[in-house]
Amino acid sequence: MLELEADVLVAGGGPAGTWAALRAADAGADVVLVDKGWCGASGATAASGTSIWYVEPDPEARETAMAAREGLGGYLSDRGWMARVLDETYAGVDELADRGRYPFPRDDEGHEIRRGVQGPEYMRRMRALVRRAGVRILDHSPLTGLLTAADGHVAGAAGTRRQEGVDYRVRAGAVVLATGGCAFGSGALGCDVDTGDGALAAVEVGAHLSGMEFSNAYAIAPAHSSVTKTAYYSYASFYRADGTILDGAGSTRGRSVIARTLLDEPVLCRLDHAGPVEQAAMRRGQPNFFLPFDRAGIDPFRDLFEITLIAEGTVRGTGGIALTSADCATGVPGLYAAGDAASREDICGGFTGGGSHNAAWALSSGSWAGRAAAAHALAGGRPFPTTGAGPVPSGRTPARDVVSAVQAEVLPYDINLIRHGDRLRPALERLDGVWDTVREGLDGGSWRAREAAAMTAVARWMYTAALARDESRGMHKREDRPGSDPAWQRRITVGGLDDVWVAA
Ligand SMILES: Cc1cc2nc3c(=O)[nH]c(=O)nc-3n(C[C@H](O)[C@H](O)[C@H](O)COP(=O)(O)OP(=O)(O)OC[C@H]3O[C@@H](n4cnc5c(N)ncnc54)[C@H](O)[C@@H]3O)c2cc1C
């Protein structure tokens, strides 16, 4: 057993976790960061390119930016949080350019374009910044549960060092959960590590979740690849296999048309609305989008190619750990949450955070959580852990069987994307049965078992909230409850493990 002590423990080394660790270290805290993979190469950003909600501090531009998604999000967002995120993101991206020396591309007049980053380059620089700030990084070391003191204060976390095969415990004065969202092992690029571990750990110590009904993001990808870059499909036309146009299909509002068609037949696509200028800009902006096409010898602007929809769950949804104050506290003393692990309803409402908001949120919420965790720990010391949320008991059922059982309920378009109470209710009942299996014990190693347990728990919270929201709003669309009901313009929270509760 490896035993460590720190002021602040950060779990997760994506953008949210690295910004949290950097801010906590800058504030004078001794910081340990643990990552399931390799901090700098793991998670949804590291593998892709992300646009960022980086908006000049010009009142008109900011107003337009804030107004843009309010309607799509069902008016559940909060202007105060949006304004704070825009400020923090603007400062953070500029810091990335100056302190992190990020090589932003330049426009024809020589001005840097700071509205997007290449994930591998961004995360490489964040790892370097974090290390330079003195943060100790434990790679390949998934957290498997939080430790608490007798009074319920979070006192650190336990986990496993995958490569050494030993467990670890870090005693800490505050913990930031930045473990990303939950994509249910769907195969979406970079999301294999995003299995909802942070949500499970948080609920085990009494935190709540919010916006879980908005966890059904599905992204368009070429059928032969896992690269989901839906924004580029705004330049697309969609076709049936016989070459006729698929009416109503679209990247933003017409995704359910694509889903319905995919249930019975293939859907083809071509980015035929992009002119030469856009094509060049797209290649410059997101080179990894083109890799699978180049490898397969497909010109996506000229050739028809088959597409699919890949579930991204809470990664590009908005549900997650509910925050109880502006510093990203969770209501559990000493516990903070950031990035996709936390709810993004404050800036996205019920609509996807992909396409710029999530990246801004990861930076901003990570920064706030890191600063607050440092202040909390430096003022309050390091409580003595008396209780550890135990790993899932050892049993005979393979963890991968549980994952498959969860996927059978959450990946099909006609359960999770095209929703109806008559399909959601039996799916939730089956998931409750899967949870009973988890409770009986799983085989597959402590952290794999935790992943399976977390995916099961997230699926149950998601469908409980989806059934509670008795209307359609944002990305939550129910065939049996079409249209939004003004009475439902409010948040839904869920929690609990064996007995899941919901409050609206
Ligand atoms: C293909 C793709 C393109 C995207 N494009 C955009 C975009 O253009 N704009 C935008 O705003 N958003 C975009 N997003 C969303 C954006 O990538 C995420 O919102 C962002 O990565 C969230 O950062 P994060 O740090 O919270 O999570 P991640 O980047 O997913 O990082 C989570 C980290 O936590 C670690 N972890 C997980 N479990 C544990 C555990 N138990 N213990 C320790 N560590 C753990 C993981 O290894 C990983 O390093 C995109 C997502 C995808 C999949």
Side-chain angles (χ1 to χ4, degrees):
M1 168 81 77
L2 173 69
E3 301 263 7
L4 295 173
E5 274 202 32
D7 296 316
V8 174
L9 170 69
V10 176
T18 48
W19 280 103
L22 186 63
R23 296 302 187 214
D26 284 350
D30 177 25
V31 183
V32 168
L33 183 155
V34 296
D35 196 287
K36 185 190 284 185
W38 196 83
C39 166
S42 191
T45 288
S48 73
T50 47
S51 309
I52 306 183
W53 209 31
Y54 177 84
V55 183
E56 300 285 327
D58 159 60
E60 207 176 313
R62 291 276 171 104
E63 170 58 33
T64 308
M66 289 195 282
R69 283 212 195 174
E70 277 182 323
L72 283 172
Y75 300 97
L76 293 176
S77 48
D78 179 304
R79 281 281 176 122
W81 278 87
M82 284 182 171
R84 292 177 66 225
V85 167
L86 285 166
D87 284 344
E88 189 73 35
T89 302
Y90 197 76
V93 172
D94 287 356
E95 185 176 333
L96 180 66
D98 302 336
R99 184 179 175 188
R101 295 170 188 240
Y102 184 90
F104 285 101
R106 291 180 185 277
D107 63 19
D108 294 342
E109 283 153 19
H111 302 302
E112 286 191 349
I113 307 166
R114 296 186 175 177
R115 290 187 305 276
V117 285
Q118 299 306 324
E121 190 63 40
Y122 174 30
M123 293 316 303
R124 189 170 74 83
R125 279 163 201 271
M126 288 308 295
R127 182 180 174 102
L129 283 173
V130 160
R131 281 173 62 93
R132 230 177 286 147
V135 173
R136 285 173 284 166
I137 298 177
L138 299 188
D139 293 308
H140 307 295
S141 303
L143 164 148
T144 53
L146 292 164
L147 307 173
T148 46
D151 62 358
H153 193 291
V154 166
T160 303
R161 305 217 69 197
R162 291 165 53 183
Q163 294 186 327
E164 282 85 1
V166 293
D167 291 341
Y168 68 81
R169 276 161 60 99
V170 182
R171 181 181 162 195
V175 174
V176 178
L177 289 173
T179 48
C182 179
F184 301 108
S186 66
L189 184 68
C191 299
D192 52 321
V193 286
D194 292 332
T195 52
D197 306 3
L200 177 60
V203 170
E204 281 172 336
V205 298
H208 302 168
L209 305 170
S210 185
M212 292 305 290
E213 68 276 33
F214 307 120
S215 300
N216 57 339
Y218 283 75
I220 303 173
H224 63 284
S225 121
S226 63
V227 180
T228 53
K229 199 72 220 164
T230 302
Y232 280 11
Y233 292 92
S234 59
Y235 293 101
S237 302
F238 299 89
Y239 301 86
R240 295 183 185 276
D242 64 7
T244 55
I245 284 274
L246 182 58
D247 289 327
S251 63
T252 307
R253 291 188 185 270
R255 227 173 285 186
S256 54
V257 174
I258 298 174
R260 275 177 219 284
T261 312
L262 280 172
L263 288 171
D264 301 318
E265 56 176 295
V267 174
L268 305 173
C269 161
R270 179 166 51 210
L271 307 181
D272 40 22
H273 295 293
V277 175
E278 287 93 359
Q279 291 181 20
M282 287 159 81
R283 275 215 177 254
R284 239 190 351 260
Q286 302 285 350
N288 77 340
F289 175 86
F290 294 93
L291 270 179
F293 294 110
D294 294 345
R295 284 190 185 136
I298 296 169
D299 176 351
F301 301 113
R302 197 195 58 204
D303 304 328
L304 281 177
F305 56 93
E306 205 176 317
I307 57 161
T308 186
L309 290 170
I310 303 185
E312 291 181 329
T314 67
V315 172
R316 276 200 256 197
T318 61
I321 301 165
L323 302 179
T324 53
S325 59
D327 60 3
C328 298
T330 61
V332 178
L335 186 65
Y336 299 81
D340 287 357
S343 167
R344 279 134 291 150
E345 280 170 300
D346 283 316
I347 61 163
C348 304
F351 191 67
T352 173
S356 73
H357 288 52
N358 272 353
W361 174 254
L363 184 163
S364 307
S365 60
S367 297
W368 295 323
R371 285 192 198 108
H376 183 90
L378 291 173
R382 301 170 184 175
F384 191 76
T386 53
T387 318
V392 180
S394 239
R396 296 166 65 90
T397 307
R400 64 174 178 281
D401 287 3
V402 165
V403 173
S404 301
V406 172
Q407 289 174 334
E409 306 303 336
V410 300
L411 301 187
Y413 309 141
D414 51 355
I415 306 180
N416 201 4
L417 178 58
I418 307 159
R419 291 177 164 178
H420 191 296
D422 290 349
R423 294 190 290 271
L424 289 171
R425 266 183 292 276
L428 180 56
E429 273 168 31
R430 291 188 290 268
L431 286 164
D432 288 343
V434 179
W435 181 254
D436 292 340
T437 307
V438 169
R439 280 304 205 193
E440 281 159 20
L442 300 182
D443 182 21
S446 64
W447 67 276
R448 286 290 189 202
R450 286 288 294 189
E451 286 189 334
M455 285 191 236
T456 314
V458 171
R460 292 169 74 225
W461 294 319
M462 177 170 80
Y463 282 170
T464 300
L467 281 163
R469 187 167 283 288
D470 214 17
E471 59 155 3
S472 293
R473 186 178 295 269
M475 65 171 67
H476 165 74
K477 298 214 162 48
R478 278 181 61 166
E479 285 182 327
D480 55 336
R481 298 286 186 276
S484 297
D485 177 350
W488 277 100
Q489 196 180 323
R490 57 185 202 265
R491 308 269 176 92
I492 292 179
T493 48
V494 288
L497 294 165
D498 296 330
D499 297 314
V500 172
W501 56 261
V502 59

